Amino acid sequence: MVDHKWIGKAYGPMKYEIGREKMKEYAAAAKDGRPIYHDEEFAATTAYGDIVAMPNFAAVYGLRGAGMVLLDQEVKLNLAMLVHGAQEFEWFTVAKPNDVITETGKIADIYEKGNLDFVVYEGEARNQDDELVCRSRATFIIRGG
Amino acid sequence: MAELCGLKYEDIAVGQEIPSFSHKFDRMDAIIYAGAGGDFNPIHTNPYFAKDVAMLPDVIAHGLFNMALLGKTVVDWIGDPGYLKKLSCQFRGMVIPEQTVIFKGKVREKLDGNLVVLDVWAEKEDGSEVLKGGEATVFLP
Protein backbone atom coordinates (compact mmCIF):
# COMPACT_ATOMS: atom_id res chain seq x y z
CA MET A 1 0.00 0.00 0.00
CA VAL A 2 1.21 3.50 -0.83
CA ASP A 3 1.25 5.78 2.21
CA HIS A 4 -1.57 8.34 1.98
CA LYS A 5 0.62 10.95 3.68
CA TRP A 6 2.09 11.73 0.23
CA ILE A 7 -1.21 13.15 -1.02
CA GLY A 8 -0.47 16.81 -1.72
CA LYS A 9 3.28 16.36 -2.22
CA ALA A 10 4.33 19.05 -4.69
CA TYR A 11 6.73 18.82 -7.64
CA GLY A 12 8.35 21.60 -9.62
CA PRO A 13 8.38 24.23 -10.84
CA MET A 14 9.96 22.57 -13.90
CA LYS A 15 10.87 24.60 -16.95
CA TYR A 16 10.65 23.32 -20.53
CA GLU A 17 11.49 25.40 -23.59
CA ILE A 18 9.57 24.16 -26.61
CA GLY A 19 11.79 23.50 -29.62
CA ARG A 20 10.39 23.89 -33.12
CA GLU A 21 11.94 20.67 -34.44
CA LYS A 22 10.93 18.73 -31.31
CA MET A 23 7.28 19.68 -31.90
CA LYS A 24 7.53 18.42 -35.47
CA GLU A 25 9.33 15.26 -34.37
CA TYR A 26 6.54 14.48 -31.90
CA ALA A 27 3.78 15.04 -34.46
CA ALA A 28 5.63 12.85 -36.97
CA ALA A 29 6.05 10.10 -34.36
CA ALA A 30 2.29 10.31 -33.76
CA LYS A 31 1.70 9.87 -37.53
CA ASP A 32 0.32 13.37 -37.91
CA GLY A 33 1.51 15.32 -40.95
CA ARG A 34 -1.00 18.20 -40.66
CA PRO A 35 0.55 21.34 -42.19
CA ILE A 36 -0.26 23.40 -39.05
CA TYR A 37 2.24 21.19 -37.17
CA HIS A 38 4.98 21.21 -39.81
CA ASP A 39 4.75 23.93 -42.45
CA GLU A 40 5.68 27.47 -41.38
CA GLU A 41 4.62 29.01 -44.69
CA PHE A 42 1.16 27.52 -44.37
CA ALA A 43 0.96 28.39 -40.68
CA ALA A 44 1.71 32.03 -41.46
CA THR A 45 -1.59 32.19 -43.38
CA THR A 46 -3.59 31.05 -40.33
CA ALA A 47 -4.76 32.85 -37.22
CA TYR A 48 -1.89 31.18 -35.32
CA GLY A 49 0.83 32.85 -37.41
CA ASP A 50 3.29 30.02 -36.73
CA ILE A 51 3.17 26.26 -36.39
CA VAL A 52 1.52 24.95 -33.21
CA ALA A 53 2.22 21.81 -31.20
CA MET A 54 0.04 18.78 -31.60
CA PRO A 55 -2.21 18.84 -28.49
CA ASN A 56 -0.81 15.52 -27.26
CA PHE A 57 2.67 17.09 -27.23
CA ALA A 58 1.59 17.98 -23.68
CA ALA A 59 2.91 14.48 -22.91
CA VAL A 60 6.38 16.03 -23.37
CA TYR A 61 6.10 19.55 -21.90
CA GLY A 62 3.42 18.96 -19.27
CA LEU A 63 3.95 15.57 -17.72
CA ARG A 64 7.47 15.68 -16.39
CA GLY A 65 6.24 15.92 -12.82
CA ALA A 66 4.64 12.51 -13.25
CA GLY A 67 8.08 11.16 -14.09
CA MET A 68 9.40 12.70 -10.87
CA VAL A 69 6.69 10.90 -8.88
CA LEU A 70 7.76 7.58 -10.39
CA LEU A 71 11.39 8.18 -9.44
CA ASP A 72 10.67 9.77 -6.04
CA GLN A 73 12.87 7.97 -3.52
CA GLU A 74 10.60 9.00 -0.63
CA VAL A 75 7.36 7.74 -2.16
CA LYS A 76 9.10 4.59 -3.50
CA LEU A 77 6.53 3.25 -5.94
CA ASN A 78 7.08 -0.34 -7.08
CA LEU A 79 7.90 0.37 -10.71
CA ALA A 80 8.03 -3.32 -11.66
CA MET A 81 4.32 -3.59 -10.87
CA LEU A 82 3.28 -0.14 -12.11
CA VAL A 83 1.27 0.69 -15.22
CA HIS A 84 -0.01 3.99 -16.57
CA GLY A 85 -3.73 3.40 -16.11
CA ALA A 86 -5.36 6.56 -17.41
CA GLN A 87 -4.52 10.00 -18.72
CA GLU A 88 -6.35 13.27 -19.12
CA PHE A 89 -5.26 16.51 -20.79
CA GLU A 90 -7.19 19.76 -20.79
CA TRP A 91 -5.94 22.55 -23.04
CA PHE A 92 -6.52 26.27 -22.67
CA THR A 93 -4.32 27.66 -25.43
CA VAL A 94 -1.95 26.30 -28.07
CA ALA A 95 1.77 25.73 -27.52
CA LYS A 96 4.13 27.34 -30.02
CA PRO A 97 7.86 27.21 -30.83
CA ASN A 98 10.09 28.85 -28.18
CA ASP A 99 7.34 28.93 -25.55
CA VAL A 100 8.88 28.52 -22.11
CA ILE A 101 6.59 26.25 -20.14
CA THR A 102 6.61 26.08 -16.35
CA GLU A 103 5.00 23.00 -14.89
CA THR A 104 3.95 22.62 -11.29
CA GLY A 105 2.25 19.52 -10.00
CA LYS A 106 1.29 17.41 -7.04
CA ILE A 107 0.15 13.98 -5.99
CA ALA A 108 -3.58 14.65 -6.10
CA ASP A 109 -4.81 11.34 -4.72
CA ILE A 110 -3.79 7.92 -3.48
CA TYR A 111 -6.41 5.19 -3.04
CA GLU A 112 -6.92 1.44 -3.17
CA LYS A 113 -9.39 -0.79 -5.03
CA GLY A 114 -9.07 -4.47 -4.21
CA ASN A 115 -5.37 -5.31 -4.41
CA LEU A 116 -4.65 -2.36 -6.71
CA ASP A 117 -3.09 0.91 -5.55
CA PHE A 118 -3.89 4.09 -7.46
CA VAL A 119 -1.64 7.16 -7.48
CA VAL A 120 -2.91 10.28 -9.26
CA TYR A 121 -0.62 13.10 -10.42
CA GLU A 122 -2.02 16.48 -11.44
CA GLY A 123 0.08 19.07 -13.22
CA GLU A 124 -0.42 22.52 -14.58
CA ALA A 125 1.63 23.98 -17.44
CA ARG A 126 1.85 27.75 -17.96
CA ASN A 127 3.71 29.65 -20.67
CA GLN A 128 6.06 32.65 -20.42
CA ASP A 129 3.05 35.01 -20.27
CA ASP A 130 1.67 33.03 -17.30
CA GLU A 131 -1.20 31.79 -19.47
CA LEU A 132 -2.49 28.35 -18.55
CA VAL A 133 -1.64 26.04 -21.47
CA CYS A 134 -2.56 22.59 -20.22
CA ARG A 135 -3.71 20.72 -17.16
CA SER A 136 -2.80 17.05 -17.00
CA ARG A 137 -3.93 14.22 -14.78
CA ALA A 138 -2.10 10.89 -14.85
CA THR A 139 -3.33 7.82 -12.99
CA PHE A 140 -0.83 5.09 -12.18
CA ILE A 141 -1.88 1.65 -11.01
CA ILE A 142 0.37 -0.56 -8.90
CA ARG A 143 -0.57 -4.23 -8.85
CA GLY A 144 -0.26 -6.30 -5.71
CA GLY A 145 -0.98 -3.51 -3.24
CA MET B 1 -6.62 33.37 -43.86
CA ALA B 2 -6.79 29.60 -43.95
CA GLU B 3 -9.82 28.12 -42.22
CA LEU B 4 -8.67 25.06 -40.31
CA CYS B 5 -12.02 23.98 -38.90
CA GLY B 6 -14.60 23.01 -41.48
CA LEU B 7 -17.28 21.90 -39.03
CA LYS B 8 -20.11 23.93 -37.61
CA TYR B 9 -21.62 23.36 -34.16
CA GLU B 10 -25.16 23.59 -35.54
CA ASP B 11 -24.50 20.77 -38.03
CA ILE B 12 -23.44 18.23 -35.39
CA ALA B 13 -25.95 15.60 -34.26
CA VAL B 14 -25.81 13.58 -31.04
CA GLY B 15 -24.99 9.97 -31.91
CA GLN B 16 -23.01 10.95 -34.99
CA GLU B 17 -19.84 8.89 -35.52
CA ILE B 18 -16.59 10.54 -36.57
CA PRO B 19 -14.35 9.00 -39.25
CA SER B 20 -12.27 6.24 -37.67
CA PHE B 21 -8.50 5.97 -38.07
CA SER B 22 -6.78 2.65 -38.39
CA HIS B 23 -3.11 1.97 -37.73
CA LYS B 24 -1.04 -1.22 -37.88
CA PHE B 25 1.54 -0.96 -35.07
CA ASP B 26 5.12 -1.52 -36.20
CA ARG B 27 8.07 -1.98 -33.79
CA MET B 28 9.73 1.07 -35.40
CA ASP B 29 6.74 3.19 -34.27
CA ALA B 30 7.68 2.56 -30.65
CA ILE B 31 11.39 3.31 -31.23
CA ILE B 32 10.52 6.60 -32.93
CA TYR B 33 7.94 7.47 -30.26
CA ALA B 34 10.43 6.70 -27.48
CA GLY B 35 12.77 9.32 -28.91
CA ALA B 36 10.07 11.87 -29.64
CA GLY B 37 8.16 11.40 -26.39
CA GLY B 38 11.14 10.74 -24.12
CA ASP B 39 9.91 7.42 -22.69
CA PHE B 40 12.73 4.91 -23.12
CA ASN B 41 11.24 2.10 -21.03
CA PRO B 42 12.66 -1.01 -22.77
CA ILE B 43 9.29 -2.82 -22.69
CA HIS B 44 8.47 -0.62 -25.70
CA THR B 45 11.69 -1.01 -27.65
CA ASN B 46 13.72 -4.07 -26.66
CA PRO B 47 12.05 -7.41 -27.52
CA TYR B 48 14.52 -9.40 -25.36
CA PHE B 49 13.72 -7.28 -22.31
CA ALA B 50 9.98 -7.29 -23.08
CA LYS B 51 9.81 -11.09 -23.38
CA ASP B 52 12.47 -12.40 -20.98
CA VAL B 53 12.34 -9.80 -18.19
CA ALA B 54 8.87 -8.24 -18.36
CA MET B 55 7.22 -11.54 -19.47
CA LEU B 56 5.26 -9.80 -22.24
CA PRO B 57 4.47 -11.46 -25.59
CA ASP B 58 6.63 -8.83 -27.38
CA VAL B 59 7.34 -5.09 -27.18
CA ILE B 60 4.16 -3.09 -26.60
CA ALA B 61 3.06 0.31 -27.90
CA HIS B 62 3.36 3.27 -25.52
CA GLY B 63 -0.02 4.18 -24.00
CA LEU B 64 0.66 7.83 -24.78
CA PHE B 65 1.40 6.87 -28.42
CA ASN B 66 -2.02 5.27 -28.68
CA MET B 67 -3.54 8.31 -26.98
CA ALA B 68 -1.78 10.63 -29.45
CA LEU B 69 -3.33 8.68 -32.34
CA LEU B 70 -6.70 9.06 -30.59
CA GLY B 71 -6.10 12.82 -30.41
CA LYS B 72 -5.14 12.84 -34.09
CA THR B 73 -8.38 11.05 -34.94
CA VAL B 74 -10.42 13.80 -33.23
CA VAL B 75 -8.35 16.65 -34.70
CA ASP B 76 -8.64 15.10 -38.18
CA TRP B 77 -12.40 15.48 -37.70
CA ILE B 78 -12.46 19.05 -36.38
CA GLY B 79 -9.53 20.30 -38.44
CA ASP B 80 -8.15 22.76 -35.88
CA PRO B 81 -5.86 21.49 -33.09
CA GLY B 82 -6.67 24.58 -30.98
CA TYR B 83 -10.28 23.47 -30.82
CA LEU B 84 -9.52 20.25 -28.93
CA LYS B 85 -10.22 21.28 -25.33
CA LYS B 86 -9.98 18.02 -23.46
CA LEU B 87 -8.99 14.41 -24.06
CA SER B 88 -8.95 11.53 -21.62
CA CYS B 89 -8.82 7.75 -21.78
CA GLN B 90 -7.95 4.62 -19.85
CA PHE B 91 -5.06 2.46 -21.09
CA ARG B 92 -6.39 -1.10 -21.28
CA GLY B 93 -5.16 -3.61 -23.85
CA MET B 94 -1.54 -4.08 -24.89
CA VAL B 95 -0.69 -3.64 -28.56
CA ILE B 96 2.15 -5.72 -30.02
CA PRO B 97 3.76 -5.36 -33.47
CA GLU B 98 1.60 -6.16 -36.51
CA GLN B 99 -1.64 -5.63 -34.58
CA THR B 100 -4.02 -3.10 -36.09
CA VAL B 101 -5.77 -0.60 -33.82
CA ILE B 102 -8.89 1.29 -34.85
CA PHE B 103 -9.51 4.69 -33.22
CA LYS B 104 -13.15 5.75 -32.99
CA GLY B 105 -15.44 8.47 -31.72
CA LYS B 106 -19.11 9.25 -31.39
CA VAL B 107 -20.87 12.47 -30.38
CA ARG B 108 -22.36 12.03 -26.89
CA GLU B 109 -23.63 15.50 -26.02
CA LYS B 110 -23.79 19.11 -27.19
CA LEU B 111 -23.14 21.69 -24.47
CA ASP B 112 -23.67 25.44 -24.27
CA GLY B 113 -20.77 27.55 -25.46
CA ASN B 114 -20.38 25.59 -28.74
CA LEU B 115 -18.81 22.62 -26.97
CA VAL B 116 -19.32 19.06 -28.17
CA VAL B 117 -18.49 16.02 -26.02
CA LEU B 118 -17.57 12.74 -27.67
CA ASP B 119 -17.05 9.20 -26.47
CA VAL B 120 -13.71 8.12 -27.89
CA TRP B 121 -12.00 4.75 -27.74
CA ALA B 122 -9.65 2.37 -29.54
CA GLU B 123 -10.00 -1.32 -30.24
CA LYS B 124 -8.23 -4.07 -32.15
CA GLU B 125 -9.70 -5.80 -35.19
CA ASP B 126 -11.11 -8.57 -32.96
CA GLY B 127 -12.96 -5.91 -30.95
CA SER B 128 -10.72 -6.14 -27.86
CA GLU B 129 -10.17 -2.90 -25.94
CA VAL B 130 -7.03 -0.79 -26.23
CA LEU B 131 -8.23 2.62 -25.03
CA LYS B 132 -11.43 2.61 -23.02
CA GLY B 133 -13.81 5.11 -21.46
CA GLY B 134 -12.29 8.01 -23.36
CA GLU B 135 -13.84 11.43 -23.60
CA ALA B 136 -13.04 14.33 -25.91
CA THR B 137 -14.42 17.84 -25.67
CA VAL B 138 -14.12 20.07 -28.73
CA PHE B 139 -15.10 23.64 -29.49
CA LEU B 140 -16.83 24.20 -32.82
CA PRO B 141 -17.55 27.59 -34.38
Side-chain angles (χ1 to χ4, degrees), chain B:
Chain B
M1 186 73 75
E3 189 63 70
L4 294 173
C5 179
L7 296 175
K8 289 271 177 282
Y9 176 79
E10 61 194 32
D11 296 334
I12 303 304
V14 171
Q16 180 181 343
E17 290 184 20
I18 71 171
S20 64
F21 172 68
S22 175
H23 177 71
K24 187 196 251 191
F25 175 61
D26 183 277
R27 57 187 72 242
M28 273 310 288
D29 293 337
I31 294 169
I32 293 166
Y33 188 85
D39 179 350
F40 292 96
N41 186 331
I43 61 171
H44 303 298
T45 53
N46 181 339
Y48 304 105
F49 182 91
K51 291 177 193 169
D52 299 342
V53 181
M55 310 305 271
L56 296 167
D58 201 336
V59 294
I60 60 170
H62 294 80
L64 288 168
F65 169 76
N66 291 327
M67 190 184 187
L69 296 187
L70 188 66
K72 168 192 156 55
T73 304
V74 177
V75 174
D76 279 351
W77 179 60
I78 54 179
D80 190 325
Y83 289 179
L84 179 60
K85 308 315 285 177
K86 209 168 174 182
L87 182 67
S88 64
C89 64
Q90 295 169 19
F91 303 117
R92 290 298 176 102
M94 296 183 300
V95 180
I96 61 172
E98 303 309 308
Q99 288 185 331
T100 296
V101 181
I102 307 144
F103 300 85
K104 297 183 172 182
K106 191 175 184 179
V107 175
R108 183 204 302 167
E109 198 180 0
K110 292 174 78 174
L111 303 177
D112 292 341
N114 284 38
L115 298 174
V116 176
V117 183
L118 299 100
D119 290 313
V120 289
W121 69 97
E123 60 195 31
K124 296 182 200 170
E125 286 171 306
D126 64 4
S128 60
E129 296 168 337
V130 176
L131 301 178
K132 193 192 169 194
E135 184 181 295
T137 304
V138 303
F139 169 84
L140 293 179

Side-chain angles (χ1 to χ4, degrees), chain A residues 22 25-26 29-32 34 36-37 42 45-48 54-56 60 84-91 94, chain B residues 1-2 4 23 29 32-33 35-36 65 67-69 71-72 76 79-82 84-91:
Chain A
K22 187 71 190 176
E25 182 192 354
Y26 188 88
K31 311 291 169 190
D32 203 325
R34 304 180 68 75
I36 194 63
Y37 301 149
F42 168 80
T45 70
T46 70
Y48 297 117
M54 181 180 191
N56 284 70
V60 175
H84 192 171
Q87 180 63 44
E88 179 179 315
F89 293 117
E90 185 174 9
W91 296 275
V94 293
Chain B
M1 186 73 75
L4 294 173
H23 177 71
D29 293 337
I32 293 166
Y33 188 85
F65 169 76
M67 190 184 187
L69 296 187
K72 168 192 156 55
D76 279 351
D80 190 325
L84 179 60
K85 308 315 285 177
K86 209 168 174 182
L87 182 67
S88 64
C89 64
Q90 295 169 19
F91 303 117

